[in-house]
Amino acid sequence: MKKRAALLCAAALALAALTGCSGGEPERTAEEWTDLYVQAITNHGGEMVEYNPVISRFDPEDGTSALALESLGLAEEDMEAFGASVSVMNTQAYAIAAVRPVQGKTDAVREALQGYVDRQQSSFEFYLPDQYQIAQDARLETLEDGTVLLVMCQDGDAVFEAIRGELERA
């Protein structure tokens, strides 16, 4: 009787595992994540996106994208996909970044982006009080889908929620 109960439990667990694996949404490709990030940042980043176009690939030949990623502290090998709009001018605390970390690199991505926020706060603390406040209000979170989202801009909470909402609906 105990063997039969154990076999039934094992069968039920196997069936549950198989059922859990089927019927779910297919995983997005890196290109699909990139397109989604670029669209969400472009749609909700405001006028700053016009002056700081969204970058979505690492290009050592393009000085602007290389400088932006370097200033964010992001390493190419830590990211599966990303989209970022960043001011490289030292007069604005502005950055929006959505990053899909490589498996096991979420902490490295979060640490890099938190380091960027910390540097911006330090840079503006005694320089431009309005930009210091924007840096102080920066939001950095890991979303349910694994995206690491940084928003540091004017009306940052509203921008963060709009981008998160678009990513969750997609």
Side-chain angles (χ1 to χ4, degrees):
M1 187 70 169
K2 288 183 181 181
K3 286 182 182 182
R4 184 177 286 176
L7 283 173
L8 283 173
C9 283
L13 283 172
L15 182 61
L18 290 173
T19 303
C21 292
S22 65
E25 287 187 33
E27 183 64 28
R28 287 185 174 95
T29 65
E31 293 78 21
E32 291 169 329
W33 281 111
T34 298
D35 292 345
L36 182 58
Y37 294 155
V38 169
Q39 178 181 345
I41 294 169
T42 301
N43 289 346
H44 304 291
E47 71 176 37
M48 288 300 291
V49 174
E50 294 175 31
Y51 306 112
N52 304 287
V54 180
I55 56 173
S56 59
R57 60 187 177 84
F58 180 77
D59 183 357
E61 302 294 320
D62 176 10
T64 303
S65 68
L67 181 60
L69 289 174
E70 183 180 318
S71 69
L72 288 171
L74 294 171
E76 182 180 13
E77 62 270 9
D78 292 344
M79 303 179 293
E80 177 182 326
F82 71 95
S85 174
V86 182
S87 174
V88 293
M89 300 184 64
N90 63 354
T91 59
Q92 295 175 328
Y94 171 80
I96 301 174
V99 179
R100 181 103 180 140
V102 170
Q103 188 172 1
K105 293 295 188 170
T106 300
D107 289 342
V109 168
R110 285 185 58 89
E111 287 172 16
L113 294 174
Q114 184 60 56
Y116 174 78
V117 170
D118 294 344
R119 289 187 301 278
Q120 292 299 298
Q121 290 172 353
S122 177
S123 173
F124 290 114
E125 186 172 9
F126 302 108
Y127 178 46
L128 295 170
D130 61 326
Q131 299 304 305
Y132 176 66
Q133 189 60 52
I134 290 170
Q136 285 287 105
D137 295 339
R139 287 184 65 183
L140 174 62
E141 295 182 24
T142 303
L143 306 182
E144 287 183 28
D145 65 14
T147 298
V148 177
L149 179 60
L150 166 66
V151 174
M152 179 182 3
C153 64
Q154 194 74 32
D155 301 320
D157 285 335
V159 171
F160 185 95
E161 293 303 328
I163 291 173
R164 176 169 58 187
E166 185 167 335
L167 296 177
E168 288 174 349
R169 286 188 302 276

